Amino acid sequence: MNTKPSSESQIITIDVLKADDLLRNSKYRYLDVRTEEEFNKGHVDFGDVLNIPNMFNTPEGRVKNPNFMEQVQQVCTKDDHLIVGCQSGVRSVYATVDLLDAGFKHVYNMGGGFLAWVQNGLPVAVVTGDTKTEFPSPTSPLPANN
Ligand SMILES: O=S(=O)([O-])[S-]
């Protein structure tokens, strides 16, 4: 029996509109836990967005990034205010639990992930080569994937 206390029941999930508001108007930072490839295809457009994958895709399926917490702690403190997002809201739950278990105090899970962000017409940036292209207009379409 696993008796390890988990912070799963303490997760607070906010919707993308609330996340957008917090990113714009408070000290929250966005932590994107998708893979670098997913991130580069399109991500939440805020200057201080972090991309630290909590899982990697392998031929055997998804495996946990064993260095996730260490990598987060290289750029964040446990007092930082973080909004955690992924593609559709599954991986971010795991990452949020890990962060709460590690003692991070101000962590929100963004429900629906990047897909919900895009569906709501919120600002997106795409990385092509070394160039970051921003789509400030909520009505701007994303470029087609190559
Ligand atoms: O990003 S996801 O884990 O929800 S597919």
Side-chain angles (χ1 to χ4, degrees), residues 17-34:
L17 298 176
K18 177 73 179 168
D20 178 58
D21 180 47
L22 287 172
L23 290 167
R24 267 177 215 293
N25 300 312
S26 72
K27 54 188 169 186
Y28 275 85
R29 301 169 81 186
Y30 187 75
L31 170 59
D32 191 324
V33 297
R34 297 175 302 157

Side-chain angles (χ1 to χ4, degrees), residues 6-12 96 100 107:
S6 167
S7 302
E8 193 163 349
S9 60
Q10 295 169 24
I11 287 188
I12 300 174
T96 301
L100 292 171
V107 185

Side-chain angles (χ1 to χ4, degrees), residues 60-109:
E60 291 77 37
R62 278 187 181 161
V63 296
K64 204 166 172 174
N65 172 6
N67 302 316
F68 175 70
M69 198 53 62
E70 186 186 322
Q71 291 169 351
V72 170
Q73 293 191 35
Q74 282 172 2
V75 288
C76 299
T77 74
K78 292 179 180 177
D79 290 320
D80 281 352
H81 291 63
L82 299 174
I83 295 172
V84 183
C86 60
Q87 187 71 3
S88 62
V90 177
R91 281 170 289 179
S92 62
V93 169
Y94 290 105
T96 301
V97 168
D98 286 349
L99 290 163
L100 292 171
D101 282 345
F104 280 75
K105 300 182 191 77
H106 314 284
V107 185
Y108 285 139
N109 172 50

Side-chain angles (χ1 to χ4, degrees), residues 32-58:
D32 191 324
V33 297
R34 297 175 302 157
T35 63
E36 187 181 345
E37 186 186 22
E38 289 175 291
F39 180 85
N40 287 346
K41 283 183 186 166
H43 58 262
V44 165
D45 186 17
F46 276 94
D48 196 17
V49 171
L50 302 166
N51 177 217
I52 303 174
N54 68 328
M55 292 188 191
F56 296 119
N57 295 324
T58 73

